Amino acid sequence: MEFQYILLAPVVLLVGIVIYFLKSKLESKQNQQTQQVIRSEEKKIQCQDQLIPISIYFGSQQGTAARFAKQLSEEGKEHGFITTEIDLNEVEFENEMKKGKVGIFCMATHGEGDPTDNAKKFISWLQEPQPSIIGFQFAVFGLGNRQYEHYNKIGKLTNNLLESQKGVRCYQYGEGDANSTLEDDFIDWKKDLWNELKISLKDLIDQAKNCQVQQEVQENPESTNDNTNTGSTFKLVVSNNEELNFDQALQGQYDFQTKQFLKAKYCQVVSISQLRQNQKDGSTLQIIFDTGREGIEYKTAMNLGVYPENDDQQILEIANYLGENLDTVYSLELLQQNNRAKLPFPSPLNVRKILKHFVDFNGQLMKNTLTKLSKISSNDEQLKNKLIQLTTEEGKAGFQDLVDNMKTTIFQLIKENNIKLNLAQFIELCPRISPRLFTIASSNLKNPQYVEIADSLLIDTLPNGTEKLGLCSQYFLNIQKKLLEGECVRVRVDFRESSFKLPDDPNKSIIMVGPGTGIAPFIGFLQEREIFLQNQPQRQNEYILYFGCKHQDGDFIYKDQLREFERSKTIDRFYTAFSRDQEQKCYVQDLLKRNSEELYNQILNDKVVIYICGSTNMGNSVQNLIKEILRKNGNWTEHEAEEKIQSMEKQKLLIKELW
Ligand SMILES: Cc1cc2nc3c(=O)[nH]c(=O)nc-3n(C[C@H](O)[C@H](O)[C@H](O)COP(=O)(O)OP(=O)(O)OC[C@H]3O[C@@H](n4cnc5c(N)ncnc54)[C@H](O)[C@@H]3O)c2cc1C
Ligand SMILES: Cc1cc2nc3c(=O)[nH]c(=O)nc-3n(C[C@H](O)[C@H](O)[C@H](O)COP(=O)(O)O)c2cc1C
């Protein structure tokens, strides 16, 4: 027995040595592999740092700037850049806007020369000294509208502040006018963008190229170089899961407008009725929402954002065309491994809801949509050429006819040209639905439970005589029918701050200029004054109202309520201009002009706050008239009058809400 042990001992020793040797070899190999992985990861990180990602930041209120940013992002990828469109509200400025980084900004101007809500933080940050910006490479495109006094103020400001803080502009500043040529201005501006960036960012690109080549040789010798990018961020997958409730959807992963939609709330519609005496010249609806039931609080003269839904009949037609069943439930999956990629809507959701809430297939066609459609129909050479031609200089008149006269929608274009596409492509092609804003026409003090708006329906008459209603106009008319049938209807809404607030100083008089639906905020102001006078009958100030419409027995909205305010002296002075009730046209400006001497003295002594609400044309004429009164009645120079207007705006003595 002992002899056996003596014989076995060397064998055991030998086996032990072999095991030890094998184990240490294995460990060494594993170590080597780990080291390789670490080195490769380090390399990747190093490489990613050297690649040139371009961030396309956007400041957008109603989605156009976000759309332009998305378009730039898609084009940038086609040019070999790593581009991502980014909501300015989601940015850590110091980390992202610094030397070695590149950012393109699409910046809309809103309010009266103000930043959009999602760009407010950024603009305040930029107005302070920011050392990180030194060496940050940037380019800016501004979105504005020449009808507004402060044309493209925010685009210009962004460009100037980045430059004055020693950022490096790598492409010229550009801006566009939403009143006429916005998309063409954008196309013109970006014509040389990518080629110029390839030159101005050459050093960074060369570094990135070297890095990529090494990476491919070391890690992927059989690389097929297949990095075709379709630009799509998601795919649709049929799902057996239950549909998602919007109120439970996570915030953050969705694109700009969808995020706003998810933050909004459902509110029940109490009633919809006609505000005009007759509908010869149009239709204005009084729409009342029950906010109390939802526990929503609001303030007088805020803006209400309404998220309109597409029409059921149209939804059915589109689903049929795309070969989809309205009840099929889809889930969305992100295709891009990019933590900033966004989904167009939450899921799982059925086709009906996807088309109802998230796909704007009625809005104005854009050239970019035609370009995308031409790619989808690339098998049909003739159609492809026709679509491309419409986007060129020669096709300009044809495109204008399609948009301005025919008001052609994306779906009409697809159907008329028999273009075959699937649901995902259709979603990708269409923008998201933008909320429509309305100035609240009720006071929270008088009606804490209800919110009221006055909606002047937008109806275009097409060359063939048929009428095309605006999306939200159609939506409210559909709801009106449902209410008449006894249905309970809820609308998704949100509330936004407005610059219309009554003066803190109770001794200040106010002049309210609000023709048409511009009267809305003043209904709220007057309801508030009614309550105030009940508690404190002694008057310290004057409420003066200027209202205008076409006919006093046609479109004089809130006629009875306003006459009652006049009778009860809630309005101290009430001036009305009925433009077509007599031969000589008469507008609110004409009435103001008649009172120019009084107005001049009130302005001179900073005794009044002037509020103007309604169309941009009317607002501009009223402001020009004020300037003229300053010049004529006080012998002010043009420059002095202009400066006074600006100082009144700054001191909130002249406040406008124009659309
Ligand atoms: C701050 C603010 C306050 C407002 N307050 C009020 C208010 O109190 N009351 C009020 O009535 N309105 C108000 N508005 C305007 C309102 O928000 C809407 O713009 C208006 O009601 C029209 O909405 P819609 O969806 O019916 O029309 P949309 O469908 O949005 O149509 C808008 C325009 O686009 C054009 N268009 C639409 N589709 C096409 C197409 N396929 N091709 C070419 N052109 C097309 C239309 O001709 C029209 O000129 C306000 C706007 C703002 C910004
Ligand atoms: C209520 C309102 C106020 C606006 N104010 C201005 C302005 O002061 N200056 C300007 O140049 N454009 C102004 N615009 C025009 C917008 O900048 C323009 O329509 C832009 O395309 C909107 O981009 P968005 O859809 O991304 O918000 C205003 C538009 C609206 C609806």
Side-chain angles (χ1 to χ4, degrees):
M1 188 73 169
E2 273 181 7
F3 178 70
Q4 280 173 329
Y5 279 129
I6 292 167
L7 269 182
L8 264 179
V11 177
V12 170
L13 191 67
L14 195 68
V15 170
I17 290 170
V18 170
I19 288 175
Y20 174 78
F21 178 74
L22 284 176
K23 195 171 166 241
S24 50
K25 194 147 186 204
L26 192 75
E27 273 175 3
S28 143
K29 188 154 186 208
Q30 276 174 346
N31 264 347
Q32 246 179 341
Q33 279 175 345
T34 313
Q35 287 305 315
Q36 261 176 8
V37 170
I38 290 171
R39 272 201 298 274
S40 143
E41 283 304 312
E42 277 172 354
K43 181 108 215 143
K44 267 193 212 160
I45 291 165
Q46 209 184 347
C47 284
Q48 272 166 8
D49 268 346
Q50 284 172 3
L51 291 174
I52 40 166
I54 300 185
S55 302
I56 324 272
Y57 301 108
F58 60 85
S60 184
Q61 196 77 13
Q62 293 186 288
T64 323
R67 238 179 128 177
F68 280 9
K70 186 164 192 276
Q71 196 178 324
L72 286 179
S73 178
E74 286 166 4
E75 285 175 13
K77 287 188 184 80
E78 285 166 18
H79 283 264
F81 292 97
I82 303 171
T83 44
T84 319
E85 68 272 24
I86 303 172
D87 180 343
L88 270 169
N89 231 354
E90 296 177 359
V91 179
E92 285 181 29
F93 309 123
E94 284 95 350
N95 284 342
E96 298 194 25
M97 296 176 192
K98 61 184 184 188
K99 193 168 178 182
K101 303 267 178 183
V102 188
I104 301 177
F105 295 78
C106 294
M107 303 296 290
T109 301
H110 264 264
E112 289 301 316
D114 302 316
T116 57
D117 288 341
N118 78 322
K120 282 199 167 113
K121 254 192 317 186
F122 168 64
I123 293 293
S124 321
W125 177 79
L126 201 56
Q127 280 170 325
E128 300 294 319
Q130 300 299 346
S132 75
I133 288 173
I134 299 171
F136 169 57
Q137 308 213 48
F138 73 93
V140 180
F141 182 80
L143 293 86
N145 183 327
R146 266 187 214 286
Q147 285 196 309
Y148 288 89
E149 184 187 358
H150 305 280
Y151 177 58
N152 258 311
K153 183 166 165 193
I154 296 303
K156 289 185 179 90
L157 188 70
T158 305
N159 181 57
N160 293 342
L161 286 172
L162 284 168
E163 199 157 41
S164 65
Q165 301 237 32
K166 302 212 165 45
V168 179
R169 186 149 44 69
C170 53
Y171 189 66
Q172 74 207 24
Y173 169 71
E175 59 188 25
D177 178 9
N179 188 39
S180 51
T181 50
L182 181 63
E183 198 189 8
D184 283 339
D185 297 335
F186 181 57
I187 292 171
D188 252 14
W189 171 75
K190 68 185 171 69
K191 213 168 43 209
D192 300 320
L193 172 71
W194 303 110
N195 287 336
E196 282 204 21
L197 285 187
K198 280 175 198 167
I199 296 166
S200 59
L201 305 176
K202 189 167 180 306
D203 288 351
L204 287 175
I205 292 171
D206 285 347
Q207 278 173 19
K209 268 189 194 154
N210 289 339
C211 196
Q212 265 175 317
V213 171
Q214 279 175 30
Q215 200 173 325
E216 269 171 29
V217 171
Q218 284 182 4
E219 290 168 20
N220 191 8
E222 286 148 42
S223 165
T224 57
N225 207 12
D226 180 15
N227 61 349
T228 334
N229 195 326
T230 58
S232 183
T233 49
F234 68 91
K235 68 174 180 186
L236 289 172
V237 183
V238 175
S239 166
N240 294 322
N241 293 339
E242 245 178 59
E243 276 196 276
L244 176 114
N245 174 346
F246 290 143
D247 295 329
Q248 287 161 4
L250 289 172
Q251 305 282 343
Q253 272 289 88
Y254 308 106
D255 74 14
F256 179 65
Q257 276 139 306
T258 303
K259 243 172 18 192
Q260 294 184 43
F261 174 93
L262 292 173
K263 281 189 198 145
K265 287 210 161 77
Y266 275 117
C267 217
Q268 193 174 321
V269 183
V270 178
S271 66
I272 298 189
S273 44
Q274 183 57 241
L275 276 170
R276 297 190 184 206
Q277 289 75 34
N278 65 55
Q279 288 158 64
K280 278 190 210 136
D281 295 311
S283 172
T284 307
L285 301 179
Q286 175 194 45
I287 304 159
I288 301 178
F289 300 88
D290 184 344
T291 42
R293 189 185 293 247
E294 312 293 331
I296 298 171
E297 287 179 13
Y298 75 99
K299 281 183 252 138
T300 306
M302 260 185 153
N303 287 165
L304 182 78
V306 173
Y307 294 78
E309 294 172 6
N310 283 313
D311 178 64
D312 287 336
Q313 201 51 43
Q314 275 188 316
I315 291 171
L316 182 64
E317 195 192 346
I318 290 172
N320 286 342
Y321 185 85
L322 300 173
E324 290 287 344
N325 184 320
L326 287 177
D327 295 318
T328 307
V329 176
Y330 281 108
S331 276
L332 280 184
E333 283 176 16
L334 272 176
L335 283 177
Q336 293 177 359
Q337 289 311 306
N338 171 348
N339 61 5
R340 277 184 141 154
K342 299 286 191 273
L343 289 168
F345 49 83
S347 66
L349 222 53
N350 70 22
V351 173
R352 181 183 292 103
K353 287 197 187 130
I354 294 171
L355 291 176
K356 193 187 268 267
H357 299 287
F358 299 104
V359 189
D360 183 0
F361 45 74
N362 272 306
Q364 185 172 326
L365 269 179
M366 287 180 77
K367 288 186 177 167
N368 182 45
T369 313
L370 297 187
T371 310
K372 282 185 167 181
L373 262 181
S374 73
K375 286 179 187 160
I376 291 174
S377 34
S378 56
N379 291 336
D380 182 340
E381 214 42 49
Q382 206 181 346
L383 174 61
K384 190 176 133 188
N385 291 339
K386 176 178 140 187
L387 293 170
I388 290 174
Q389 201 262 351
L390 284 167
T391 67
T392 61
E393 194 56 36
E394 300 78 62
K396 209 168 183 170
F399 183 74
Q400 253 164 9
D401 184 50
L402 212 60
V403 174
D404 297 341
N405 300 334
M406 312 293 289
K407 311 273 175 196
T408 310
T409 65
I410 296 180
F411 181 58
Q412 280 169 335
L413 193 74
I414 290 170
K415 205 171 72 167
E416 279 161 17
N417 291 289
N418 200 20
I419 299 171
K420 292 279 163 266
L421 73 180
N422 59 36
L423 178 62
Q425 284 170 316
F426 187 64
I427 294 166
E428 195 84 71
L429 209 59
C430 297
R432 307 285 77 82
I433 295 177
S434 294
R436 272 44 174 189
L437 298 187
F438 295 91
T439 312
I440 291 176
S442 55
S443 158
N444 59 318
L445 298 183
K446 181 156 188 207
N447 298 307
Q449 304 288 319
Y450 300 102
V451 153
E452 174 176 339
I453 58 170
D455 180 12
S456 163
L457 298 186
L458 212 140
I459 308 168
D460 288 311
T461 306
L462 304 182
N464 65 6
T466 57
E467 285 184 340
K468 181 184 182 298
L469 276 132
L471 176 61
C472 199
S473 304
Q474 179 69 64
Y475 178 50
F476 280 133
L477 279 181
N478 289 350
I479 294 177
Q480 192 180 30
K481 269 190 223 143
K482 288 183 185 167
L483 291 179
L484 285 173
E485 288 159 9
E487 239 184 86
C488 166
V489 183
R490 298 190 322 145
V491 170
R492 220 164 164 86
V493 296
D494 62 23
F495 292 79
R496 295 152 189 237
E497 285 298 332
S498 134
S499 50
F500 271 32
K501 293 183 181 73
L502 282 167
D504 293 334
D505 178 357
N507 294 316
K508 261 213 165 92
S509 291
I510 69 169
I511 294 177
M512 302 168 278
V513 185
T517 43
I519 191 67
F522 307 130
I523 297 292
F525 279 5
L526 290 165
Q527 288 178 348
E528 226 158 82
R529 191 174 203 227
E530 198 174 35
I531 295 170
F532 186 80
L533 289 175
Q534 276 162 10
N535 299 329
Q536 201 176 336
Q538 206 154 15
R539 283 155 204 271
Q540 294 158 300
N541 58 0
E542 268 198 315
Y543 271 43
I544 304 164
L545 175 65
Y546 288 84
F547 174 78
C549 62
K550 286 182 183 154
H551 303 288
Q552 61 176 320
D553 287 321
D555 52 346
F556 189 172
I557 61 174
Y558 293 106
K559 183 177 185 177
D560 295 343
Q561 207 169 331
L562 288 170
R563 290 291 179 215
E564 182 51 32
F565 282 136
E566 190 184 24
R567 198 201 53 74
S568 64
K569 300 216 163 23
T570 309
I571 314 177
D572 297 282
R573 277 184 281 156
F574 183 21
Y575 298 102
T576 49
F578 304 111
S579 62
R580 298 186 193 189
D581 273 351
Q582 62 287 311
E583 212 156 281
Q584 181 109 29
K585 293 245 171 84
C586 174
Y587 299 104
V588 283
Q589 298 89 295
D590 300 307
L591 304 179
L592 280 157
K593 203 171 181 174
R594 280 184 216 157
N595 295 333
S596 55
E597 205 173 310
E598 181 197 35
L599 193 59
Y600 175 73
N601 288 323
Q602 285 169 322
I603 292 174
L604 197 66
N605 301 318
D606 290 343
K607 270 193 174 156
V608 284
V609 180
I610 303 173
Y611 297 88
I612 311 171
C613 185
S615 79
T616 39
N617 270 341
M618 177 277 304
N620 290 337
S621 307
V622 172
Q623 178 156 319
N624 285 338
L625 176 79
I626 296 174
K627 233 193 295 178
E628 195 187 305
I629 291 174
L630 289 175
R631 285 179 45 225
K632 288 212 171 127
N633 291 51
N635 285 325
W636 299 45
T637 63
E638 171 74 26
H639 180 69
E640 285 167 341
E642 185 59 50
E643 278 200 331
K644 178 67 184 171
I645 296 271
Q646 280 177 17
S647 111
M648 284 170 75
E649 286 184 325
K650 259 204 195 119
Q651 294 177 68
K652 306 250 175 272
L653 296 174
L654 173 62
I655 308 177
K656 295 173 285 177
E657 185 156 285
L658 308 175
W659 62 85

